[in-house]
Amino acid sequence: MIDYLVVGLGLAGVSFCEQMEVTGKEYQVISDGSQTSSLVAGGLYNPVILKRFTLAWNADSQLETALSFYGKLETKLGVQLDYKIPILRKFASIEEQNLWFEAADKKKLGRFLSTTVVENGNEAIAAPFGFGKVLHTGRIDVKTLIASYEVHLLEKEKFVKETFDFDSLQVLPGYVKYKNIEAKRIVFAQGFGLKKNPYFNYLPLQGSKGELLTIKAPALKVNEIIKSSVFIIPLGRDHYRVGATYERTDKTNTPTERAKNELLTKLHTFLKCKYEIVGHAAGIRPTVTDRRPLVGRHAEHKQMYVLNGLGSRGVLIAPTVSKQLWEFIENEVMLPPEIDIQRYNKKYTISS
């Protein structure tokens, strides 16, 4: 019998696997790669909400944990994952500049917001009021991370690539059995796929479809992330990622013309050079009604756990909440109430 069976290998799954790796637990991972939100994510880690110039939820402590986590993974996997790139937030007016400086005076925000306006010298971008620079930001190459981690697990014979079959799962006293695998505990890290999970589908996972474009723009020549009505994220060799959209009704991973046109309309408000569209991707972010992760133990089955609901900031949040779930399971450290699924126990009672 193994210690853990993990279902899903996105950011949440990888982060939880690392908790087991450093403590020598025996585990298996099952994933079919059907949930693409991690793979198509922009991969940004940015502690500041740039619409309102405020600090994101627990972002300062999450950032410290995340940078250490991805740094160790780079060494372990032998690949570059962390590209440290500042974000330039385009100002729409003098008033926005003033709001930026007011935010920079706040204690927790000061270390992330430069108080020097960056003047625009790039003819390919319209930014007459310049930019504010966000510090300690960057991009995690999530696609490389997940692909490399899958190879790592395959080499250790800890990965099965298949669609999880709930009819083959037996919840037995003190353990679970899935086909020929017996495990003391099972952790579901399925992203939006949780909606099809009969044990946790009572949780209010909404899902928000995000679409991204990849463009080739040889005349653009920027090395920073540009944030205006959309992000422009440099990928190297004149390629840039443009995104993202937020759609709450369409729950498919299929890219749409509507989203493409929305992104291009916003892009054209400030990009003034020629470009070529070379890619278009979509995925469903696992978003939650109250904008907090879904973490914890099943209300009835004590050997069953969930790690989900990371939303659009999964790169930043995943290392922290996976560690919190680990400490909860192994060391009985209480979960923060705002992420604990116990806050939705009444929904489980009603649905049962």
Side-chain angles (χ1 to χ4, degrees):
M1 183 179 294
I2 61 174
D3 296 300
Y4 287 89
L5 177 60
V6 177
V7 183
L9 193 66
L11 285 166
V14 168
S15 299
F16 193 78
C17 285
E18 275 303 283
Q19 299 298 322
M20 295 183 289
E21 291 258 308
V22 298
T23 51
K25 296 291 184 180
E26 288 297 320
Y27 69 94
Q28 284 282 328
V29 178
I30 296 173
S31 177
D32 62 3
S34 62
Q35 300 307 310
T36 61
S37 64
S38 290
L39 293 175
V40 303
L44 297 187
Y45 57 87
N46 165 32
V48 182
I49 298 173
L50 291 175
K51 188 174 183 179
R52 301 189 296 271
F53 306 154
T54 56
L55 195 67
W57 168 70
N58 288 348
D60 47 352
S61 61
Q62 289 169 359
L63 180 63
E64 185 177 347
T65 301
L67 293 180
S68 173
F69 175 81
Y70 295 117
K72 290 174 182 175
L73 270 181
E74 284 183 320
T75 302
K76 175 176 181 170
L77 301 175
V79 293
Q80 183 175 0
L81 302 171
D82 186 1
Y83 295 82
K84 298 185 185 301
I85 315 169
I87 295 175
L88 297 183
R89 168 47 157 93
K90 187 176 85 73
F91 291 132
S93 63
I94 296 295
E95 288 74 20
E96 269 202 342
Q97 287 184 1
N98 293 333
L99 290 172
W100 177 276
F101 291 128
E102 287 177 17
D105 283 337
K106 295 178 181 177
K107 186 177 179 181
K108 286 193 172 184
L109 274 170
R111 62 181 286 237
F112 298 115
L113 302 182
S114 169
T115 54
T116 302
V117 173
V118 178
E119 301 295 336
N120 179 40
N122 190 333
E123 293 182 357
I125 297 174
F129 299 100
F131 306 90
K133 180 184 283 190
V134 189
L135 310 173
H136 309 296
T137 60
R139 176 178 71 89
I140 298 299
D141 187 341
V142 180
K143 190 172 183 179
T144 295
L145 166 60
I146 292 173
S148 300
Y149 209 87
E150 185 175 315
V151 170
H152 166 72
L153 293 178
L154 284 168
E155 289 174 349
K156 300 181 77 170
E157 298 182 342
K158 291 186 175 183
F159 182 74
V160 179
K161 190 156 193 169
E162 69 176 41
T163 300
F164 191 83
D165 177 16
F166 283 96
D167 291 335
S168 298
L169 178 65
Q170 300 176 60
V171 183
L172 301 166
Y175 70 105
V176 298
K177 184 175 182 180
Y178 179 75
K179 297 183 179 179
N180 64 338
I181 301 172
E182 293 183 346
K184 296 174 185 175
R185 303 175 180 93
I186 185 168
V187 176
F188 291 104
Q190 300 168 280
F192 190 66
L194 193 74
K195 296 292 286 185
K196 296 180 181 178
N197 184 319
Y199 298 97
F200 288 106
N201 59 9
Y202 69 93
L203 295 171
L205 192 70
Q206 291 180 315
S208 169
K209 183 174 183 175
E211 298 194 39
L212 298 160
L213 300 176
T214 303
I215 64 171
K216 184 176 182 181
L220 183 50
K221 302 300 182 192
V222 296
N223 296 315
E224 300 89 357
I225 298 163
I226 306 296
K227 173 64 173 82
S228 181
S229 47
V230 289
F231 276 104
I232 296 180
I233 306 169
L235 303 176
R237 290 189 273 188
D238 297 325
H239 283 67
Y240 302 87
R241 190 157 289 150
V242 177
T245 59
Y246 290 83
E247 164 61 47
R248 290 183 174 84
T249 54
D250 181 2
K251 306 300 187 190
T252 70
N253 291 323
T254 306
T256 64
E257 281 294 309
R258 178 181 174 181
K260 182 175 100 171
N261 292 334
E262 177 187 336
L263 290 171
L264 293 178
T265 298
K266 292 178 177 178
L267 181 65
H268 293 165
T269 62
F270 65 101
L271 183 68
K272 301 304 176 185
C273 67
K274 292 181 180 180
Y275 63 87
E276 173 190 1
I277 299 172
V278 296
H280 185 184
I284 311 298
R285 306 177 190 89
T287 53
V288 185
T289 308
D290 62 6
R291 300 187 180 184
R292 294 293 179 265
L294 299 170
V295 184
R297 179 189 289 132
H298 191 272
E300 181 180 352
H301 305 297
K302 303 307 180 184
Q303 63 274 62
M304 193 174 284
Y305 298 84
V306 66
L307 180 60
N308 209 306
L310 305 186
S312 60
R313 292 181 175 266
V315 160
L316 201 58
I317 295 172
T320 292
V321 295
S322 64
K323 187 174 183 179
Q324 288 171 327
L325 178 59
W326 177 259
E327 292 292 336
F328 171 67
I329 298 171
E330 292 289 331
N331 300 317
E332 298 183 353
V333 177
M334 294 301 293
L335 288 166
E338 67 266 31
I339 71 171
D340 194 334
I341 60 169
Q342 283 192 24
R343 68 195 193 272
Y344 294 118
N345 273 1
K346 287 184 179 178
K347 288 182 177 290
Y348 179 74
T349 303
I350 293 169
S351 66
S352 300

